[in-house]
Amino acid sequence: MTPLEILAIGILFAGLGFFVAGTVGMLRFPDVFSRLHALTKADNLGLALIALGTALLTADTSVTLKLMLIWFFVVLASATSGHLIARHALRSGQGS
Amino acid sequence: MTPATQPTLAWRALIAAKRFLLFAGLWLVLTSAALDGLGFGLAAASAATWLSLVLMPPVSREVSLLSVLPLVPGFIDRSIRGGFDVAWRALHPRLPIRPAWYVHDTRLPPGGARVALGSIVSLLPGTLVAGSFGNRLYVHCLNADAGIRHAVAAEERRIAGTLKSRGPGPER
């Protein structure tokens, strides 16, 4: 294995760690809003690391660009849906 | 910045051209610039441009991509710190969280500036904007902490600063 591959695999595992932490947070945190913290923040960072690790393993620029697009759209969708869920929960009185 | 005027035809055409280039670029990325797909790409990018103009008509104070660029390093830095913070709390055996609400009265004008504040505060470690009613921003804190008030106020000042540098903004 080249040093680059070792670095990439390390980054991939770090990304996995954040996904695990986000999922554990979703299971352990007490309410809707706290769970959203776990899902939006930990998973975004996890996905960024996985995209970065995968990008290091490919020499193909178009694959790298696609990975960046995937990350961008997932972050956009997660921020938007997270905000919608929070707003709905707040209005339906689960906020207290 | 010139005050909001009736959008001219040339200006609208420029916006349409910019959006078309964006969609065409996306197509090239998705297809790895395959030659036999260019015809479909042209049609798809044109249709997407038309749809975007219908769904999101150009407004005079469109946020330019370049004005957002200086904010990117801060965005990345906050995402990383926010991710570490919540991951650590989720995995800690004693679950060190103390959820609480903080209501922030914002002085930013409605629209893009407030959306920006909401998005940035949601990225900060431990805070999440759940919604706004009038001028009140409802911030959910994963761990009740006196520093949150100052952090939100600091972000607000920063955004107000970029507004001012772009022309006469509303001041109160």
Side-chain angles (χ1 to χ4, degrees), chain B:
Chain B
M1 186 131 208
T2 49
T5 47
Q6 196 61 32
T8 63
L9 198 66
W11 178 77
R12 286 171 60 96
L14 182 69
I15 299 284
K18 271 187 183 172
R19 292 186 184 181
F20 175 78
L21 283 178
L22 184 71
F23 290 127
L26 276 177
W27 178 273
L28 289 179
V29 170
L30 288 175
T31 57
S32 308
L35 285 178
D36 51 357
L38 286 185
F40 295 104
L42 212 62
S46 309
T49 307
W50 174 77
L51 196 63
S52 92
L53 290 172
V54 172
L55 293 177
M56 203 177 85
V59 288
S60 54
R61 287 196 81 168
E62 200 153 271
V63 179
S64 85
L65 216 56
L66 283 176
S67 74
V68 182
L69 223 51
L71 298 174
V72 169
F75 250 66
I76 294 174
D77 171 58
R78 287 179 188 79
S79 315
I80 293 174
R81 283 192 288 134
F84 268 103
D85 178 72
V86 77
W88 165 75
R89 290 180 194 280
L91 294 175
H92 195 286
R94 280 205 305 264
L95 206 63
I97 63 170
R98 206 146 49 90
W101 286 97
Y102 163 55
V103 180
H104 181 79
D105 285 309
T106 182
R107 287 182 298 168
L108 291 173
R114 278 190 197 178
V115 174
L117 181 65
S119 316
I120 291 175
V121 169
S122 291
L123 276 178
L124 289 175
T127 54
L128 187 84
V129 170
S132 60
F133 296 95
N135 290 333
R136 324 199 81 186
L137 210 61
Y138 283 76
V139 183
H140 185 262
C141 316
L142 193 54
N143 195 52
D145 175 3
I148 285 168
R149 184 183 304 268
H150 301 294
V152 175
E155 297 300 340
E156 185 175 44
R157 272 197 303 277
R158 198 193 303 249
I159 293 171
T162 53
L163 282 184
K164 242 172 255 167
S165 69
R166 286 204 290 140
E171 269 188 276
R172 271 199 284 152

Side-chain angles (χ1 to χ4, degrees), chain A residues 13-43:
Chain A
F13 271 98
L16 283 180
F18 279 104
F19 268 106
V20 171
T23 309
V24 170
M26 187 184 72
L27 295 172
R28 291 184 77 199
F29 285 172
D31 58 84
V32 177
F33 304 99
S34 304
R35 286 178 174 146
L36 282 176
H37 279 273
L39 286 181
T40 52
K41 288 174 205 217
D43 284 11

